[in-house]
Amino acid sequence: TKGGYEHFMYKEINEQPGALRRTTQGRLDTRTGGAKLDEFPPGTFADVQQVHLIAMGTSHHAGMYAASLLNARGIPAYAFMSGEYSVVKPPVTPSTLVVAVSQSGETADTLDAVRRARSAGARTLAVTNVVGSSITRECDDELLLRAGPEIGVAATKTFSSQVTALALLAERITEDYTGMKSTDSRELMNALARLPGDVQEILDTSTAREVAIEYEGSDAYFFIGRGPAHPVALEGALKFKEISYEHAEGFAASELKHGPLALVTPITPVFAIFTGHEDEATLSNVKEVQARGAPVIAVTSDESSEIAEFADHVLSIPETHPEIAGILANVQLQLVAYHAANLLERPIDKPRNLAKCVTVE
Ligand code: M6R
């Protein structure tokens, strides 16, 4: 049931603190750093030379996010849309770990990509929310999200849990690949332990509804970010378009000047996501769009900075480890999308033309 909420999506957004507590339960070593994954004891990934993350939609954004976490730790990691994987045919060897990310565990493109990876000799690992789903049968190993059932077609709590579970997996892979814990592992594990409380703080204080009201009727909605904030920008736009039916697009902030800037006008609000990854450069992008008259909504933990001074609105997130700030920023964007769609009286839990699970290619 919707438990008193008007929509499953809103219920599931609000369930995130509990979902994240379950995702991390017993899996964090906050004292010495490192992930405690019973399924994957130290040494499990000793033979892994590169990681491919394959997924679609929101799960692909979580895969992109994880690739950036792994790259930052010196691990060769690449994210692919699973629908492209069998077409592009990136080289796979027995030392490739292929991580298939799928909330449902039933997405046809992702299952197909897993089969291709297996037949090329790769080791396969499913990150999924559904116990006993097809993907868990097709892959060598599984890491469960434990986020609880997700009914809304728009994936919300499972994105937060996917990024969290992948951050833990990234810690384990890093330790096995480099022979030591990442230098800031303890800080990261502690930040993950605080994550449910940080998300709750956003749910209690967000001004996302005011932002949705202020910019209702705009021509288009753009989202920009760098590093792990890039997949968050893509995810912010996906959520917005899928449930509001408004035109929304996400870009790497660095891409702006190479084309998308031509679309920016006073009636295209730009959401700029700051997670401590070359924020200065993103701030200059903000100035560029403002010079074209576009309103700017900054998602940041740094309310006293130049960022806040330039932005028309700030959606505030608690200060945390930069590698997981994107999870918090995404919660603000989920709320903006939800309220925008609700103002337009869209059928939020069952958007037109979409299904919760895409079981045909
Ligand atoms: O179940 P999966 O995670 O494999 O689903 C992948 C996509 O179909 C899914 O994330 C889709 O993009 C969502 N509707 C986005 O909200």
Side-chain angles (χ1 to χ4, degrees), residues 214-347:
E214 169 125 18
Y215 298 110
E216 188 182 353
S218 298
D219 257 13
Y221 301 80
F222 299 133
F223 298 76
I224 59 170
R226 273 189 164 68
H230 173 212
V232 172
L234 300 181
E235 174 59 12
L238 172 60
K239 215 86 319 173
F240 202 99
K241 73 181 78 161
E242 112 177 286
I243 58 166
S244 76
Y245 311 157
E246 295 295 295
H247 179 204
E249 277 193 76
F251 309 108
S254 59
E255 194 193 359
L256 208 58
K257 275 199 274 236
H258 301 276
L261 197 54
L263 297 171
V264 170
T265 73
I267 42 176
T268 61
V270 177
F271 292 82
I273 305 149
F274 294 89
T275 53
H277 299 83
E278 297 194 24
D279 284 353
E280 287 294 311
T282 304
L283 184 60
S284 38
N285 298 129
V286 160
K287 292 176 188 169
E288 283 153 11
V289 301
Q290 277 186 329
R292 275 84 189 168
V296 170
I297 304 97
V299 188
T300 176
S301 62
D302 201 355
E303 276 185 88
S304 59
S305 66
E306 213 190 339
I307 298 168
E309 197 182 305
F310 271 90
D312 298 85
H313 284 269
V314 171
L315 290 170
S316 182
I317 56 173
E319 177 101 47
T320 186
H321 192 290
E323 304 283 48
I324 58 164
I327 302 175
L328 297 177
N330 187 60
V331 173
Q332 286 285 20
L333 300 181
Q334 291 171 347
L335 289 166
V336 172
Y338 173 78
H339 290 300
N342 208 14
L343 289 169
L344 292 165
E345 297 181 9
R346 304 298 192 215

Side-chain angles (χ1 to χ4, degrees), residues 56-59 102-105 107 153-155 162 238-239 242 358:
M56 292 307 283
T58 291
S59 298
S102 175
Q103 186 286 129
S104 62
T107 297
V153 165
Q162 282 170 339
L238 172 60
K239 215 86 319 173
E242 112 177 286
V358 184

Side-chain angles (χ1 to χ4, degrees), residues 13-46:
I13 289 173
N14 280 283
E15 280 172 351
Q16 287 179 110
L20 289 166
R21 239 171 245 121
R22 289 193 301 276
T23 302
T24 53
Q25 181 88 47
R27 290 171 167 173
L28 305 173
D29 186 340
T30 49
R31 211 173 46 81
T32 60
K36 293 193 288 188
L37 297 172
D38 293 342
E39 308 86 328
F40 310 113
T44 304
F45 302 114

